[in-house]
Amino acid sequence: MSDEPLFGPPSLRFRPRSLALLGAGGVLLLVGVVARDPIPLFAAVPLLLAPAAAALAGPKANPKVDFRWGETGSGAQVSIAGSVRPDRSVHPGDLVVELDRPGGLLEQGPVRYAVKEGALEFTASWAAPEPTIALVGAPSVVWRDPAGLVERPVDGVSGQLVVTRYPPELLRLGAVRLDRTTVLPGETRSRRIGATGEFFGIREAEPEDPPRRLNWRASARVGRLLANEYALERTGDVVLLLDARPSELGAAIDERLLSIGRAAVDGIAESFLRIKSRVGVAVYGEFLDAVPLSTGRAHAFRIRNALLRAHLAETPGPSERCAVAFRRYYPPGVTTIVLSPLADENGRALVSHLRRRGYRVVVLSPSPLPLLLGPRLPAEDEELAARLARLERRSQVARTWRVAPAIDWEEFRSLGGFVEFLKRPTTRRIS
Amino acid sequence: MTTKSPRPSARRFGWAGPALAVVSLGWLGVASGLPEEGGAVLAAAAIGIGLVLRSAPASSGREASWTPIAVGLGILAVVSPLTVLAELVAGLGGLAVIVWMIDSPDRLAGGIGRGGLALALPALAVGVAWASSFLLPPGVASVGIAAAVLALSLAALAFLLGRPDLFDRSGAATS
């Protein structure tokens, strides 16, 4: 049975269960009258009266609630916890909270509910098996009578949560030297404080600081953990291009690869923005959706919004269109990281067109193999198929290498290989 | 692409509804006088199907678990011989359907306490109807109850359709 309300005024809504109950009561009433038998009439009385009684016993206006929620957890664990505290007109146990789980997150167990100190508390345990950036919309909260016959929406529930999970190695992206794109007269270098460069000072250690960054001697002297800070003067530009075109892999795999790419773009952009580099982000499906080069905290929000609205295109746009549109937003010569699964010729064509227009392209290619093969040990025949798939994948990446450096990203929890490449670009010749 | 999180699965079973259904349907089944214990079998089948649906993993199954009870109640109410006690037990059966819904495993515990008023009104109606049936002479009571229930239902329906503000005091979105 659907949960959609069937009829009633905009606020109070009778659920389909009410109509079913009235129908059952009506049939009993009819049978009783036709058969002149009062026993069905007695059975019908509660069924006929229950919906009206439930409505009369409920609140006379939409209840107001104090709604609070947040996201916790680390790594693959995502925990959404919150509380709904209603006004005195309703009991918190009669509130029904329904969370919409975004596609990139998996459910680990049912949502837990508990009534504590006049509030309904809920906890959802989800898992992010792959890097992801997901938007969790405000839950649907309604008052529903204990029998589930009528319901009312509540006032005061709003907001969204952004869940981001991307590889921890992104913190080390600060060591990457970006090439200048435009040499302007009087250009000044921006100084950044971060993990690399010359020693700058000491600050309180943060949980994400790696052990080698801690200043153990200073920590021993003062009795609390302190970390070193380093200063590096730099100015650089980077553009991240996310290929959101459908491929031969099918919509389901394409969606997951796009989700992984979206998370990687968000993480890489945030890492470069942290060191005050200018970052541009473009998503190409059928047409180019570009966020121009800029820096700052507001720009990080612009990028995140662009990524959250990115979706898989229904029709793949031609690669040349992307390259032509790309020139309108970004100057040639800028370091361009293309995130494409390289599942077909479209990905390579895109890289080729960008190279021809003067962009320094590096391809980070989320591999579809972990999604296609799965984590389980395959059977003997499937093992052969897996080996063939790996050979084919290696060939695809190698063909891309003829045009631009391409990093095969198969271990989604780590971007170590990509970071290492950016820090020390290979001497391999690119024709 | 989004998927809805399910309601908590089987936090508790909620035995009040099933217990009341066993008492009322069981009594009607035994008293129905159907050949080869047909009434008892029918009652057991209705309750059994209801319990299976009630413990189903799918929420749609749990949502519809009261329907076998209502169907079983209807059939047994029709075939049961007319006695004063049968009338009372049939009313109790109707209340059992409501309690079955209130004490659902999909809802947090304590539903019967919170839904006391919603349960009390139908219970009061059953009590008044049964008392009048018990006190009035036979024949008159049946017609009286039928006419009263029918008139009350029609009046309530007409009244509710014309006065939605009775339930809802929120201002209209366009006002």
Side-chain angles (χ1 to χ4, degrees), chain A residues 263-275:
Chain A
V265 168
D266 186 61
I268 294 170
E270 193 180 310
S271 298
F272 280 116
L273 286 174
R274 202 179 297 141
I275 59 174

Side-chain angles (χ1 to χ4, degrees), chain A residues 10-33:
Chain A
S11 295
L12 182 82
R13 298 180 293 205
F14 287 88
R15 299 185 67 233
R17 183 182 266 197
S18 293
L19 185 67
L21 207 59
L22 287 173
V27 169
L28 283 173
L29 180 69
L30 198 66
V31 169
V33 171

